[in-house]
């Protein structure tokens, strides 16, 4: 057990952030919960071709749940399936134009929430926080 009070303070802050800034909390703040937006987050963050299995792993859900989320994203016009030319049984997932627009709205909403939280911070404080938080995230296992 760590006895460093700073570590304990960071732990509590991270728990609070997780609760307040979950995808669902941010979606509610932007007018509604849409689980299919989670699929867009996975596609955008993957850095590689995405399948339903990729979505399942990234979201920590089983394959049937991931399939339902992908189907909802496709039905909403946010994601399209593209045939894998090397393996006809597999489909890659890609955002549609509407999906890219939804991602941009999500980013604007998140950034607005973060900017509100940092009102009154100097440019230097925001830069230092960004540097330290990026360093922290890069060192986190997972």
């Amino acid at each position: 057990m760590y006895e460093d009070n700073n570590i304990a303070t960071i732990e509590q802050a991270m728990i609070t952030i997780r609760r307040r800034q979950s995808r669902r909390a941010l979606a509610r703040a932007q007018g509604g919960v849409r689980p299919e937006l989670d699929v867009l987050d996975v596609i955008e963050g993957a850095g590689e071709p995405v399948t339903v299995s990729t979505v399942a792993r990234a979201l920590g859900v089983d394959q049937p749940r991931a399939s339902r989320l992908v189907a909802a994203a496709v039905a909403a016009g946010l994601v399209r399936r593209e045939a894998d030319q090397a393996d006809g049984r597999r489909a890659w997932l890609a955002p549609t134009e509407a999906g890219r627009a939804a991602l941009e709205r999500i980013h604007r909403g998140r950034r607005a929430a973060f900017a509100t939280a940092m009102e009154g911070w100097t440019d230097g404080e925001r830069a230092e926080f960004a540097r330290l938080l990026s360093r922290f995230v890069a060192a986190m296992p997972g």
Side-chain angles (χ1 to χ4, degrees), residues 1-141:
M1 184 71 101
Y2 292 99
E3 297 299 324
D4 184 333
N5 286 335
N6 290 321
I7 298 293
T9 300
I10 291 166
E11 176 194 18
Q12 287 306 304
M14 295 302 289
I15 290 168
T16 301
I17 288 170
R18 187 186 72 224
R19 287 181 184 147
R20 290 185 187 170
Q21 300 301 308
S22 70
R23 285 183 179 105
R24 301 220 189 293
L26 287 168
R28 275 192 301 276
Q30 295 172 20
V33 176
R34 295 182 58 192
E36 64 270 17
L37 296 178
D38 290 345
V39 176
L40 285 173
D41 274 340
V42 171
I43 293 170
E44 182 181 48
E48 62 186 33
V50 173
T51 64
V52 173
S53 295
T54 310
V55 171
R57 281 190 307 276
L59 297 179
V61 298
D62 61 21
Q63 193 78 15
R65 173 72 178 144
S67 291
R68 287 190 298 275
L69 289 171
V70 168
V74 170
L78 301 172
V79 171
R80 72 177 177 278
R81 296 175 194 265
E82 298 176 347
D84 178 353
Q85 299 304 312
D87 182 349
R89 298 168 295 174
R90 182 176 22 214
W92 303 118
L93 304 174
T96 62
E97 189 64 37
R100 285 189 291 280
L103 281 167
E104 185 54 39
R105 282 190 306 277
I106 290 165
H107 288 303
R108 278 195 311 269
R110 288 175 182 161
R111 290 174 185 157
F114 300 151
T116 297
M118 290 184 275
E119 280 182 18
W121 291 31
T122 67
D123 288 344
E125 287 170 330
R126 283 192 304 276
E128 182 67 0
F129 181 71
R131 184 186 71 76
L132 291 172
L133 184 59
S134 296
R135 182 176 163 194
F136 176 80
V137 169
M140 288 290 295

